[in-house]
Amino acid sequence: MDLQTLTYIVVGITFTLYIGIAFWARAGSTSEFYVAGGGIHPVANGMATAADWMSAASFISMAGLIAFFGYGGSVFLMGWTGGYVLLAMLLAPYLRKYGKFTVPEFIGDRYYSRAARIVAVICLIVASVTYVIGQMKGIGVAFSRFLQVGYETGLLVGMGIVFVYAVMGGMKGITYTQIAQYCVLILAYTIPAIFISLHLTGNPIPQLGLGSTLSGTDTFLLDRLDQVVTELGFAEYTTSKRLSTLNTFVYTLSLMIGTAGLPHVIIRFFTVTKVSDARKSAGWALVFITILYTTAPAVAAMARLNLHQTIEPAPGEYLSYEARPQWFKNWEVTGLLQFEDKNGDGKILYTANAETNEMVKVDRDIMVLANPEIARLPNWVIALVAAGGLAAALSTAAGLLLAISSAISHDLLKGVFMPDIDEKQELMASRVAMAGAIALAGYLGFNPPDFAAGTVALAFGLAASSIFPVLMMGIFTKSINKEGAISGMVAGITVTLLYVFQHTGIMFVASTSYLGDMSPNWFFGIEPNAFGAVGALVNFVVAFAVSKVTAPPPDHIQHMVEDIRIPAGAGDATGH
Amino acid sequence: MTDNNSDMRRAYWQANVKLMLVLLVIWFVISYVCGILFVDALNSIRIGGYKLGFWFAQQGSMYGFVAIIFFYSHRMAALDRKFGVND
């Protein structure tokens, strides 16, 4: 059977599975819609959270980034996992104890202010929409690529599928669908990695293979990789830093607190039965995430080594362009891999020197998708990788859409503007909001205003600078009042947005950039994507300063803070 | 709960915060200290094919994070029971 047919079949089976599950578990009440009725087991919830969390960026892009940044790519690994430690200890159990549906609801109650709730909703929507646009674009690319249709058609098909199961199922449907999606994406990620590790090092476990010697030699894989890349003039793989130590530090911190501040991840911990389960659930989520995240460095290093060894099989002996393998030709068609015979010898010279380098384009995003082909794995593995990439993009988009729709229907409509609507109307409003969000994200996906990997990091920066500090202060201090919280959120998100816009343009339109995307203009050399941590610091400082000079929170709020610190009496998550 | 056990609640909270701070220090050391700040120094030590600093950054810190959360979860469950505040 040819690859295309097989891909259709594998993707078709997985989608039928997701839609079937969404239909079977469709929501009947608002409680089921928002938090799956509060009855999800911590392990199941952890698995769903992992699928929700790992987007197309984790599945498709991350290993590619690490492959080319080497050690510098570690910011994504530590940043996107370390945030779970903060979640488990600083936020999840207390928000579960508090027991309402949404993050802005907690902020509104804790800071006894509708204004605070509205500001939180706006921050949440800005961060989530930024993120979801990237996902919709990923969905469009993935669908068009694997169904062999145009990008627009691919995006429309993807939007339709997201709509069906997110809108019909709500959180309950999404939770069970995401469990299925986790299984698909983790198999799709690890199976090729196991094959490749076995082939290169003889060790079937990629995490161990990365530290092993190459098959039939005494040379360690990483040493060989360091040697190969430095001979070609690239920075040493295992030590190449990303800009500066300070930038690496701030970038990692920004991704960590962004992880802990992203609302679609936080609301996951409202879906378990007990406070103690919320802590455990964060641990299980991280276990399932770590399976992929510790495999990624192995995939990255092995892909980079494979790529170089294909092009230069022996020192000084370059591959003839005519003899290039099939996967090379396949990716040339997409334009993501380009060769230009500068010296006219018909051989492929790949170096770090732009003058002589003949591999004029090697897109880092192709690494994970091309890997099974490079390693000559069977077609069913390649089809599985396709299904895994789609599962990653779809599950994250659905989770984000749920966070956006609940912010609009529950926090804005029910909570502020139309408190009299009944459960049914609220559910309807939520579905309409979700459909609206899909349409908006889809529209921006058709006309992407230069949204790339930076957008995803920006979404984290926005969540880091606005939501995380205000939640943490709400639990760990009794002295922060509503004036402090509101000015903190506004200051944090504004500083971050302005910093990003000054370098990349307002709404990423490059011509409106007022300082230029130039490192000399960076504050202490911190790149815009990493700036969320600085925004968060601004948020904390402003909130404390403003709270100092205004009236302290009323007594009942101080009691409420004491109460959420104690697990006893949590009960079910409710909206009332 | 009544005010009678507010001392108990304070003790529970202090125990929680103390545990949390200890674990946050470990969290900081395995990621920021070993993986970023002192990565070059640690890279002179090797385990198998891994340079130690590189290993912390791309493998070890993540295993550590998982261990921290489960340890926290386990100890907190014990604290909940000890103070009788479990739900």
Side-chain angles (χ1 to χ4, degrees):
Chain A
M1 199 183 298
D2 71 9
L3 178 59
Q4 195 56 40
T5 321
L6 199 61
T7 306
Y8 273 121
I9 292 172
V10 173
V11 172
I13 290 171
T14 58
F15 276 38
T16 313
L17 181 70
Y18 307 151
I19 293 172
I21 292 171
F23 186 75
W24 164 70
R26 67 191 180 281
S29 67
T30 44
S31 164
E32 286 193 341
F33 189 83
Y34 291 126
V35 294
I40 307 281
H41 191 271
V43 177
N45 192 55
M47 206 179 256
T49 308
D52 200 340
W53 164 245
M54 290 191 286
S55 64
S58 293
F59 188 92
I60 297 172
S61 291
M62 193 176 64
L65 288 173
I66 301 167
F68 290 95
F69 291 144
Y71 164 75
S74 309
V75 293
F76 303 106
L77 294 166
M78 288 189 285
W80 281 339
T81 53
Y84 276 84
V85 176
L86 301 179
L87 253 179
M89 296 199 294
L90 303 180
L91 303 182
Y94 312 108
L95 294 175
R96 173 63 193 86
K97 166 66 198 293
Y98 169 72
K100 297 281 183 75
F101 288 147
T102 69
V103 171
E105 199 166 15
F106 171 76
I107 292 173
D109 285 0
R110 163 62 182 84
Y111 297 107
Y112 49 99
S113 157
R114 262 164 52 157
R117 185 168 178 176
I118 294 169
V119 172
V121 171
I122 293 167
C123 294
L124 185 159
I125 291 175
V126 170
S128 304
V129 167
T130 308
Y131 200 168
V132 87
I133 292 164
Q135 294 301 315
M136 291 311 272
K137 207 184 159 201
I139 288 172
V141 172
F143 271 84
S144 58
R145 182 162 172 69
F146 297 123
L147 300 178
Q148 295 289 299
V149 291
Y151 171 71
E152 282 79 11
T153 318
L155 184 55
L156 275 177
V157 172
M159 281 165 67
I161 288 172
V162 172
F163 181 83
V164 168
Y165 81 74
V167 170
M168 295 303 161
M171 190 58 122
K172 195 170 172 195
I174 286 181
T175 301
Y176 292 116
T177 312
Q178 285 176 335
I179 292 170
Q181 284 166 330
Y182 178 79
C183 298
V184 171
L185 81 85
I186 203 69
L187 284 176
Y189 205 84
T190 50
I191 288 173
I194 290 169
F195 273 116
I196 294 166
S197 177
L198 204 52
H199 174 73
L200 280 177
T201 66
N203 194 323
I205 300 165
Q207 287 85 343
L208 299 178
L210 183 59
S212 303
T213 51
L214 290 164
S215 295
T217 69
D218 292 332
T219 318
F220 286 112
L221 188 150
L222 284 167
D223 291 342
R224 172 85 185 122
L225 183 56
D226 275 343
Q227 184 201 344
V228 166
V229 297
T230 46
E231 273 170 9
L232 296 173
F234 295 100
E236 195 179 53
Y237 188 86
T238 53
T239 56
S240 59
K241 287 217 170 61
R242 185 166 170 78
L243 302 175
S244 65
T245 298
L246 177 69
N247 186 64
T248 306
F249 191 98
V250 176
Y251 205 154
T252 307
L253 190 61
S254 191
L255 294 178
M256 279 194 189
I257 58 183
T259 297
L262 272 174
H264 76 289
V265 179
I266 298 174
I267 58 176
R268 278 275 155 214
F269 299 102
F270 300 154
T271 63
V272 292
T273 328
K274 294 193 295 184
V275 171
S276 51
D277 285 349
R279 302 183 196 117
K280 260 188 241 160
S281 190
W284 282 110
L286 190 57
V287 167
F288 293 120
I289 290 167
T290 300
I291 295 174
L292 190 146
Y293 272 58
T294 54
T295 308
V299 170
M302 290 171 190
R304 180 90 183 261
L305 190 62
N306 266 334
L307 179 74
H308 284 295
Q309 289 193 332
T310 306
I311 292 172
E312 192 184 357
E317 187 184 300
Y318 301 103
L319 180 73
S320 150
Y321 182 67
E322 286 306 310
R324 68 195 187 283
Q326 185 59 39
W327 66 263
F328 199 110
K329 294 177 192 161
N330 291 347
W331 285 97
E332 275 186 308
V333 176
T334 66
L336 298 172
L337 199 63
Q338 281 170 19
F339 167 75
E340 190 187 316
D341 198 358
K342 287 179 180 162
N343 58 10
D345 67 351
K347 293 193 170 182
I348 303 169
L349 185 63
Y350 181 30
T351 70
N353 185 345
E355 295 286 307
T356 54
N357 178 32
E358 297 181 342
M359 288 303 299
V360 288
K361 183 162 187 186
V362 185
D363 192 295
R364 56 204 182 194
D365 283 355
I366 71 174
M367 274 303 166
V368 168
L369 298 176
N371 227 357
E373 290 179 272
I374 297 176
R376 297 198 191 87
L377 300 184
N379 278 353
W380 65 267
V381 178
I382 301 171
L384 189 62
V385 171
L390 293 172
L394 281 173
S395 59
T396 305
L400 286 163
L401 288 165
L402 193 84
I404 295 169
S405 73
S406 59
I408 291 173
S409 68
H410 196 71
D411 291 305
L412 282 188
L413 283 183
K414 176 88 178 169
V416 178
F417 296 116
M418 296 162 69
D420 296 332
I421 55 171
D422 62 30
E423 217 177 67
K424 229 176 172 165
Q425 287 167 312
E426 190 190 330
L427 202 55
M428 180 50 72
S430 173
R431 286 176 170 152
V432 171
M434 203 181 260
I438 293 173
L440 173 71
Y443 172 75
L444 290 166
F446 279 121
N447 305 284
D450 186 32
F451 281 103
T455 322
V456 172
L458 174 63
F460 280 82
L462 294 172
S465 65
S466 58
I467 308 273
F468 175 78
V470 87
L471 287 176
M472 196 188 145
M473 289 184 292
I475 295 159
F476 285 87
T477 74
K478 292 186 220 167
S479 62
I480 302 296
N481 59 19
K482 65 174 173 188
E483 291 85 356
I486 294 170
S487 41
M489 280 190 281
V490 171
I493 203 165
T494 308
V495 163
T496 310
L497 271 178
L498 286 179
Y499 188 78
V500 172
F501 286 169
Q502 75 179 359
H503 296 296
T504 60
I506 293 162
M507 292 318 291
F508 316 105
V509 180
S511 57
T512 58
S513 145
Y514 35 98
L515 278 183
D517 188 15
M518 288 158 21
S519 24
N521 292 327
W522 288 350
F523 179 77
F524 287 112
I526 298 170
E527 60 187 309
N529 292 351
F531 206 70
V534 180
L537 188 65
V538 170
N539 187 334
F540 278 118
V541 171
V542 169
F544 271 100
V546 172
S547 297
K548 262 270 184 298
V549 296
T550 45
D555 280 351
H556 75 274
I557 295 300
Q558 309 211 9
H559 283 130
M560 176 195 147
V561 175
E562 277 176 18
D563 197 50
I564 56 170
R565 293 174 176 180
I566 308 291
D572 286 344
T574 61
H576 312 287
Chain B
M1 253 182 259
T2 61
D3 285 340
N4 291 346
N5 45 27
S6 66
D7 282 349
M8 184 274 294
R9 294 174 128 203
R10 198 169 299 126
Y12 169 77
W13 183 248
Q14 277 169 355
N16 177 5
V17 171
K18 196 176 148 204
L19 172 64
M20 198 187 78
L21 289 176
V22 170
L23 292 177
L24 280 179
V25 168
I26 298 172
W27 165 84
F28 185 81
V29 169
I30 59 172
S31 51
Y32 293 93
V33 175
C34 297
I36 298 173
L37 298 174
F38 292 112
V39 67
D40 293 331
L42 287 175
N43 275 343
S44 58
I45 305 165
R46 300 187 60 121
I47 33 168
Y50 283 114
K51 291 173 181 165
L52 190 58
F54 178 83
W55 180 83
F56 266 108
Q58 300 212 338
Q59 297 282 311
S61 58
M62 292 182 279
Y63 302 129
F65 296 152
V66 170
I68 289 172
I69 297 181
F70 279 107
F71 183 77
Y72 177 74
S73 162
H74 180 74
R75 288 299 296 270
M76 283 308 289
L79 272 183
D80 289 353
R81 280 191 300 274
K82 182 179 160 198
F83 287 88
V85 294
N86 51 313
D87 62 332

